[in-house]
Amino acid sequence: MIVAGLLIVQRLWLTALAIVASSVSGNIIVELVKLHVARPRPDIVAHLVTVTHMSFPSGHSANSAIVYLTLAGLASQVTQDRATRAYMLVVAILMVGAIGCSRVYLGVHWPSDVLAGWSFGTLWALAWWLATARARQAIGGERHAFGTPPTDPAAS
C-alpha cells in the first residue's frame, strides 16, 4: 500500500490500481488453492517458525513473486532509464528467491510448494504486466514517474 500511495502521488493511477488489484486478487487465489489442495506441512524436521495454514502452494513464495515481480514489471513500464529497470528486476528476483528458499530452510514447506508458489506468482505478475501495458496503450499512455516519456522514434 505504501508503493501504491507513492504511485498515486506521482499521478500514476493505472499503475497504482494494477498493483493493488494484482496483490489482492493473487493472494485470494493462493488462499483458495491452499484450502482446496489441503496439503499438510512437512514434518521431517521441527519447524523453526509457527505455521497454521496448509502447505501447498507456499503463500510466502507466491505472494512475494506476485508483489515484487509485479512492482518491478509495472514500474519498468513507467521508468525511462534502462539501468533502473534492470536494477528493479534483479532486486525483485533476488528477494523472491530468498523468501522462497527461506521457507524450505525453515522446514515449513516442501520444495514443490515453493516452486508452485514461484510459478503462480511469476505467471500472475506477467499477466498483470501484459494487461497493464495493453490498458496503458489503449488510454494513450501514462505519465512517466522518472523523467519525460521516451519519444517515439517513428514520430521524428
Side-chain angles (χ1 to χ4, degrees), residues 15-41:
T15 305
L17 176 65
I19 285 173
V20 171
S22 168
S23 300
V24 171
S25 60
N27 183 49
I28 290 170
I29 291 172
V30 168
E31 290 303 316
L32 290 173
V33 171
K34 279 180 168 290
L35 289 172
H36 180 72
V37 174
R39 180 179 184 179
R41 296 209 179 245

Side-chain angles (χ1 to χ4, degrees), residues 2-148:
I2 293 171
V3 172
L6 173 64
L7 292 167
I8 289 169
V9 168
Q10 292 285 323
R11 291 180 292 180
L12 294 165
W13 310 107
L14 175 63
T15 305
L17 176 65
I19 285 173
V20 171
S22 168
S23 300
V24 171
S25 60
N27 183 49
I28 290 170
I29 291 172
V30 168
E31 290 303 316
L32 290 173
V33 171
K34 279 180 168 290
L35 289 172
H36 180 72
V37 174
R39 180 179 184 179
R41 296 209 179 245
D43 57 2
I44 296 173
V45 297
H47 298 169
L48 296 177
V49 294
T50 304
V51 290
T52 57
H53 287 65
M54 292 292 144
S55 183
F56 184 90
S58 166
H60 280 82
S61 299
N63 289 323
S64 66
I66 290 166
V67 171
Y68 296 127
L69 295 178
T70 301
L71 281 171
L74 297 185
S76 74
Q77 292 179 358
V78 295
T79 302
Q80 184 176 356
D81 183 54
R82 185 176 186 183
T84 302
R85 291 192 308 265
Y87 176 79
M88 289 186 296
L89 184 59
V90 167
V91 169
I93 291 169
L94 290 174
M95 289 176 66
V96 169
I99 290 167
C101 290
S102 76
R103 305 313 290 167
V104 175
Y105 172 78
L106 293 171
V108 296
H109 282 292
W110 299 101
S112 58
D113 300 339
V114 171
L115 289 173
W118 281 340
S119 298
F120 173 75
T122 301
L123 290 173
W124 196 252
L126 284 171
W128 278 91
W129 177 85
L130 181 60
T132 305
R134 287 185 176 166
R136 185 172 283 110
Q137 185 178 28
I139 64 172
E142 186 174 33
R143 186 177 75 75
H144 286 242
F146 306 106
T148 57

